[in-house]
Amino acid sequence: MRLSVMSVPDPGPAAGAPHGLDAAIEPVIAADRSGFHRAWMPQLPPMTGMASWDVLTALAVAAGRTSRIGLGTGVVVAYTQHPLALARQALTTNAAAAGRLTLGIGVSHPFMVEALGYSYERPAAFLREYLGVLIPALAGEPVEHHGPRITTTGQVTIPGASAPPVVTAALGPQMLDLAGELTDGTITSWAGPKALEKHIIPRLSRAAARAGRPAPQVIAGLPVVLTDDPRPARDALAAAFEIAGQAPAYRAVLDKEGAAGIGEVCVVGDEAAVEKQLRRFADIGVTEFVASPKEVPSSDGAATVAKTTEFLASLRL
């Protein structure tokens, strides 16, 4: 199992630290120096009030300041741009990254999409149609599509550009079928080992096999806190991400885990405990774990994040 990091820029950098776009890509540069397999960046929705850099543009800049690390979007929300426009942008970024990009794509949640003025009716059907345009467009093929949600005719031509792998944010049955049939795998949020082993990996693998595709990537992402006092850390994570646990897709996967809240599925503990939890993900077939090192009120803040990151970079799973 490969170890990667979710690179979220600090919303309030300390004095003397990078600001602006430099601050946004500094975690990616640091992850490259530390030897992580891949650095993922989220595409934060504009209504959150948080820094919402365009993730593909930011990764294109980061590509020029890194040497070998893979770069991933975790994730671009399909509703926010036309599939031909996303194909053009992803191909451009992948060219800047010399083929190191993985395009993570998803449909987000009803309250976010509807706040943008779009209907969230039948999101899996929408994404199937969207990928039916995006994937051939990434391959440089002409596209003519007349569907109930997307109508387009066109072709994206970028000389010398190669199509990046595409993974889908998928947790439920329909999305997992879609990910297995049409893309290179899934990237998950808030899915614990039980939900992954019993529900997500089998469904995804069956869909890929039916479609004659290779074994899919299974990319699991969770917060990680290195601490000798796990209970307060888990409680703090549960409080910090309480709203995420209320989203229907996340609530469903927490129920499959038998978890009352998000704090229960995070990777928390001392070095031996964290390594044991991560090895369980490797043992059940997760191909890549995306860690989000976090500081919690019971810790010493940024030092905990640095210590957690350093420990993760030292692991070989």
Side-chain angles (χ1 to χ4, degrees):
M1 183 177 76
R2 306 285 193 131
L3 282 179
S4 300
V5 287
M6 183 64 72
S7 299
V8 181
D10 184 349
H19 285 69
L21 184 57
D22 285 342
I25 65 173
E26 174 55 35
V28 179
I29 297 169
D32 185 47
R33 291 194 300 263
S34 297
F36 285 102
H37 171 60
R38 194 149 37 196
W40 296 81
M41 285 186 70
Q43 180 67 81
L44 299 176
M47 72 283 294
T48 62
M50 299 174 66
S52 51
W53 298 99
D54 180 80
V55 63
L56 283 164
T57 304
L59 288 177
V61 175
R65 303 187 194 178
T66 55
S67 59
R68 45 121 229 123
I69 194 167
L71 307 169
T73 62
V75 295
V76 173
V77 178
Y79 289 95
T80 59
Q81 60 181 301
H82 192 278
L84 291 184
L86 179 57
R88 177 180 60 190
Q89 190 180 16
L91 286 166
T92 301
T93 299
N94 200 34
R100 289 184 280 144
L101 178 69
T102 294
L103 180 63
I105 187 169
V107 293
S108 189
H109 306 282
F111 71 95
M112 290 186 179
V113 171
E114 290 166 359
L116 296 173
Y118 298 111
S119 169
Y120 199 76
E121 183 181 6
R122 300 187 65 198
F126 167 78
L127 189 59
R128 180 175 290 276
E129 194 170 338
Y130 191 100
L131 291 169
V133 174
L134 175 68
I135 291 173
L138 286 170
E141 300 171 4
V143 177
E144 183 168 350
H145 181 89
H146 302 278
R149 298 162 188 83
I150 298 171
T151 297
T152 189
T153 300
Q155 184 174 10
V156 179
T157 303
I158 300 181
S162 60
V166 177
V167 295
T168 304
L171 296 172
Q174 292 184 63
M175 286 293 186
L176 289 166
D177 287 346
L178 184 61
E181 292 169 18
L182 298 181
T183 75
D184 297 286
T186 186
I187 178 168
T188 68
S189 296
W190 309 120
K194 185 185 298 183
L196 282 157
E197 182 180 21
K198 302 296 184 183
H199 301 280
I200 292 172
I201 295 174
R203 183 100 188 198
L204 178 71
S205 299
R206 287 195 299 268
R210 284 197 305 269
R213 296 182 63 88
Q217 296 184 53
V218 181
I219 305 163
L222 286 171
V224 181
V225 179
L226 193 64
T227 176
D228 293 325
D229 195 7
R231 188 68 266 165
R234 289 191 184 277
D235 290 343
L237 290 166
F241 295 103
E242 182 179 7
I243 190 170
Q246 298 170 4
Y250 295 152
R251 184 64 260 168
V253 80
L254 290 171
D255 289 343
K256 288 181 173 65
E257 192 69 25
I262 276 174
E264 296 181 27
V265 297
C266 297
V267 176
V268 179
D270 60 18
E271 291 185 356
V274 166
E275 182 173 356
K276 181 178 179 180
Q277 291 169 70
L278 291 176
R279 287 196 181 279
R280 185 178 176 194
F281 284 98
D283 290 344
I284 64 174
V286 171
T287 60
E288 179 180 348
F289 186 89
V290 184
S292 297
K294 298 294 184 184
E295 59 180 85
V296 293
S298 61
S299 72
D300 53 354
T304 296
V305 172
K307 185 178 179 181
T308 301
T309 304
E310 183 180 2
F311 174 67
L312 290 169
S314 73
L315 288 176
R316 297 293 179 267
L317 299 173

